[in-house]
Amino acid sequence: MPDDPSNPLIRARGLTKRFGEFTAVDSIDFDVAVGESFGFLGPNGAGKTSTMRMIGCTSPITGGTLEVMGMNPAVHGPQIRARLGVVPQQDTLDSELTVRENLAIYGRYFGLSRAEVGRRADELLEFAQLTERANDQVEPLSGGMKRRLTIARSLINEPTLLLLDEPTTGLDPQARHLLWDRLYRLKQRGVTLVLTTHYMDEAEQLCDRLVVMDKAKIVAEGSPRELIERYSTREVTELRFAPGIVETLDGRLDGIAQRVEHLPDRILLYADDGEAAAVAVNQRGLKPETVLVRRSSLEDVFLRLTGRSLIE
Amino acid sequence: MITLRVTPAFALGSRRSARLIERNLYVYKHGWMVILSGFFEPLFYLLGIGFGLGALIGTIAGPGGEPISYQLFVAPALLASSAMNGAITESTFNFFFKLNYNKTFTSILATPLSPGDIALGELGWALIRGGLYALGFMGVMVALGLVVSPWVILAVPAALLLGFAFGAVGMAATSFMKTWQDFDLIQLVVLPMFLFSGTFYPLDAYPDALRVIVQLTPLYQGVDLIRSLTVGAISPILLFHVAYLAVMGIVGLAITSRRLDKLLLK
């Protein structure tokens, strides 16, 4: 039963994608439940986009099994795509058409009637705050507007499942917050969201549950809070030293924190009480140029799991 | 290694392909003047060569061997050539742009449409455009008194068939193109075909060996077909022309569909 709510909306087992010799996705397993907001977190090249394209039925799988809404993408591609909304990483708006025409023709591709398409296009222009630009060409729009139009376009068929590949990459903070707000409203309406991101704040804002991907594999899975609890401490103390000092520290930070991480530009002390760690550093006579105590984030989880920063 | 196809191997497109035609109608709503250019080109040839040069030539042997005016000889060939040129423009330059720059097709494949639908829809649009030109040109032939046989009615569908064949092969060729420079190759094939396929003078001008080669070119099929229909010289060879062009179109469409599959569904 494809629409039984107890069945996952997406189910992947041993899902693999190879391009020639290169393995982009290496035997991953995951389920996405109906109504859930699910994220793939990882750096560029981790295999997130390849996974999204396989779910979107525009990239044949190389191995394993994949079911979307209980159907096999290799057999029922058109039926699955009829109920998907896709926001690709790069905007693929039709530059030969106006803003409103982009929405209208897209609805027609889904077989909606002209009247229905017109009604939905007006609604979506409102939703995307683009009503005033309805009859403008697409090209002069700002990055944020194009992104909102792409999201509006993906909603024209009232999808059950919305796939968002790096939805806010390259946008300024204000545009990102507006987009997050729109996505949050969709989630409240019961749309299942699957997104990829390399922004921890985005993942924390939008995802009920996420998997961390690195080098084509899933390395961890859970809610943002669970992942932070499992792989990091409650707080982090960031120390920045003047150039040349770090090399002379030589074990003088040992024992202050549960874990010490050396990054090129700073040192991270993982401790449940960050303030106490900062005081201990001071007591040992060390004089960092800046000290910052903050809560752990998914960035720390990623660093712990892979030994690398998320954004390089 | 198991390779699962996202679409069946020989999907030549479904009813959904009509949406592509609708898209192109939207586009041309903004720039319908562009469409007019395709109408004037064969008209200028007809006036310049048919009537200018024709005054010097007088009559010439038609498809049935009977003498016909040079204008009547050259007009159907210009109809055929413009059907070819229209289809080639739409299926090469415009198709290449949509495939590589506009990303139109990438976004369309996220909907229920398949690569086969795209190929068929784009070709359908090229044919509608070609059909409009053919009708316009036919109107000019009527106005100039170049209509001598009722069979001329079939010249319009014949021009569409020719457009189908060239459009399909044009798209198939374009799917292998990497850069804009590659299009010079297409001109290298199209221009000599336009000049030498019995368009402006009868095939008697060639030595036997060369004549056979010309008779095998696709444009010659269209020129001879449309010219024979125009003057009413009906013979079984016309069926061969029709079959040749139909097969050429279907093969082109199948290759295009396969190539789009490979290029877009990675």
Side-chain angles (χ1 to χ4, degrees):
Chain A
M1 284 287 103
D3 283 306
D4 183 344
S6 64
N7 280 344
L9 203 60
I10 307 172
R11 181 185 164 88
R13 292 293 177 271
L15 183 61
T16 300
K17 180 75 193 183
R18 277 189 291 270
F19 298 100
E21 294 294 295
F22 174 71
T23 303
V25 178
D26 190 1
S27 190
I28 63 172
D29 299 338
F30 63 89
D31 288 333
V32 177
V34 176
E36 189 174 30
S37 185
F38 184 85
F40 290 96
L41 181 72
N44 292 331
K48 308 185 302 281
T49 298
S50 296
T51 306
M52 292 293 260
R53 294 193 61 229
M54 287 191 281
I55 299 170
C57 313
T58 53
S59 174
I61 70 173
T62 321
T65 59
L66 176 66
E67 272 177 32
V68 183
M69 301 172 202
M71 293 180 276
N72 177 354
V75 183
H76 297 112
Q79 290 93 319
I80 297 171
R81 291 198 300 270
R83 294 171 58 193
L84 286 185
V86 177
V87 177
Q89 198 167 349
Q90 309 275 318
D91 289 322
T92 54
L93 296 166
D94 198 328
S95 59
E96 294 183 273
L97 302 177
T98 66
V99 169
R100 193 168 188 284
E101 285 168 347
N102 257 281
L103 295 175
I105 192 63
Y106 216 69
R108 296 288 290 153
Y109 295 148
F110 283 95
L112 301 171
S113 73
R114 262 174 250 269
E116 183 63 17
V117 158
R119 194 182 62 72
R120 290 191 193 180
D122 289 335
E123 260 176 40
L124 287 169
L125 285 171
E126 197 66 37
F127 174 80
Q129 299 186 348
L130 287 169
T131 306
E132 268 114 70
R133 307 300 296 264
N135 296 316
D136 290 359
Q137 291 293 311
V138 164
E139 218 33 66
L141 298 184
S142 71
M145 286 179 180
K146 281 185 189 167
R147 213 64 190 136
R148 294 208 298 277
L149 180 56
T150 301
I151 291 181
R153 189 183 69 173
S154 74
L155 298 173
I156 195 88
N157 59 327
E158 297 183 343
T160 314
L161 170 60
L162 188 59
L163 304 175
L164 303 131
D165 197 358
E166 307 273 355
T168 66
T169 297
L171 297 186
D172 59 55
Q174 200 190 349
R176 295 179 74 199
H177 281 280
L178 181 59
L179 266 182
W180 285 346
D181 170 66
R182 303 289 121 157
L183 293 176
Y184 190 70
R185 288 190 202 186
L186 289 173
K187 181 171 151 49
Q188 283 179 317
R189 283 190 220 163
V191 178
T192 305
L193 304 180
V194 173
L195 63 130
T196 74
T197 182
H198 58 249
Y199 295 121
M200 301 63 58
D201 51 351
E202 185 158 280
E204 283 170 7
Q205 285 265 344
L206 294 175
C207 299
D208 301 325
R209 200 161 59 85
L210 53 94
V211 290
V212 179
M213 278 189 88
D214 186 41
K215 294 176 184 148
K217 286 182 182 298
I218 289 176
V219 291
E221 187 243 300
S223 70
R225 178 187 292 269
E226 280 167 7
L227 287 170
I228 291 167
E229 279 171 7
R230 202 178 321 148
Y231 295 104
S232 192
T233 52
R234 203 171 70 86
E235 292 184 336
V236 187
T237 305
E238 294 196 3
L239 310 177
R240 281 174 207 267
F241 287 95
I245 304 290
V246 172
E247 291 74 15
T248 67
L249 289 175
D250 200 27
R252 290 174 68 190
L253 291 167
D254 291 358
I256 291 181
Q258 282 150 270
R259 197 160 60 85
V260 180
E261 198 76 58
H262 288 258
L263 296 184
D265 61 333
R266 65 214 141 110
I267 290 172
L268 305 180
L269 303 176
Y270 287 96
D272 286 324
D273 186 345
E275 240 5 283
V279 170
V281 168
N282 227 324
Q283 282 168 349
R284 292 194 185 183
L286 297 170
K287 297 276 178 286
E289 289 195 321
T290 62
V291 178
L292 169 74
V293 178
R294 59 169 175 83
R295 296 183 73 88
S296 269
S297 75
L298 287 172
E299 170 82 54
D300 301 298
V301 172
F302 191 80
L303 191 62
R304 173 71 187 279
L305 288 167
T306 69
R308 290 178 296 117
S309 296
L310 206 42
I311 300 173
E312 283 157 342
Chain B
M1 195 173 83
I2 331 146
T3 312
L4 291 172
R5 302 190 64 86
V6 172
T7 52
F10 277 94
L12 285 184
S14 67
R15 248 169 0 110
R16 287 191 274 256
S17 56
R19 309 290 178 221
L20 258 294
I21 294 173
E22 207 174 317
R23 177 203 170 262
N24 288 312
L25 282 175
Y26 271 111
V27 174
Y28 281 94
K29 229 168 47 181
H30 303 300
W32 56 271
M33 283 294 287
V34 182
I35 285 205
L36 280 182
S37 66
F39 171 71
F40 285 109
E41 192 190 285
L43 185 62
F44 291 154
Y45 271 107
L46 181 62
L47 296 177
I49 293 176
F51 286 87
L53 213 54
L56 300 174
I57 294 169
T59 60
I60 197 166
E66 74 298 341
I68 55 173
S69 74
Y70 186 66
Q71 291 89 329
L72 191 56
F73 178 83
V74 87
L78 290 172
L79 176 58
S81 313
S82 73
M84 171 183 80
N85 282 329
I88 292 275
T89 306
E90 193 69 44
S91 69
T92 58
F93 289 99
N94 296 357
F95 189 67
F96 188 77
F97 173 73
K98 286 179 212 170
L99 191 57
N100 294 288
Y101 293 94
N102 194 3
K103 301 288 173 201
T104 311
F105 298 156
T106 315
S107 67
I108 291 173
L109 287 174
T111 75
L113 273 72
S114 69
D117 294 329
I118 290 178
L120 192 63
E122 285 295 301
L123 192 54
W125 169 248
L127 288 187
I128 288 173
R129 221 178 135 170
L132 288 175
Y133 295 154
L135 278 174
F137 193 77
M138 197 55 77
V140 171
M141 284 173 68
V142 172
L144 295 175
L146 294 176
V147 169
V148 293
S149 161
W151 287 99
V152 75
I153 292 285
L154 290 180
V156 171
L160 285 181
L161 178 64
L162 183 69
F164 167 67
F166 274 99
V169 169
M171 284 198 298
T174 302
S175 70
F176 289 96
M177 305 260 170
K178 298 272 187 295
T179 69
W180 290 106
Q181 278 74 37
D182 293 338
F183 287 101
D184 291 343
L185 287 173
I186 289 187
Q187 281 312 308
L188 208 60
V189 176
V190 169
L191 189 63
M193 235 189 319
F194 172 57
L195 291 173
F196 305 128
S197 294
T199 327
F200 297 107
Y201 47 85
L203 289 191
D204 312 342
Y206 295 114
D208 285 352
L210 205 52
R211 188 166 64 212
V212 171
I213 293 175
V214 172
Q215 279 175 329
L216 289 176
T217 65
L219 182 58
Y220 175 77
Q221 316 300 318
V223 168
D224 194 53
L225 177 62
I226 294 174
R227 183 177 285 147
S228 301
L229 290 168
T230 307
V231 300
I234 306 306
S235 70
I237 189 77
L238 300 191
L239 288 175
F240 172 77
H241 295 331
V242 169
Y244 180 117
L245 294 172
V247 168
M248 177 176 158
I250 290 168
V251 169
L253 199 53
I255 294 174
T256 305
S257 180
R258 288 289 290 274
R259 284 288 299 166
L260 288 185
D261 213 282
K262 201 168 159 219
L263 289 173
L264 298 172
L265 303 179
K266 274 183 270 199

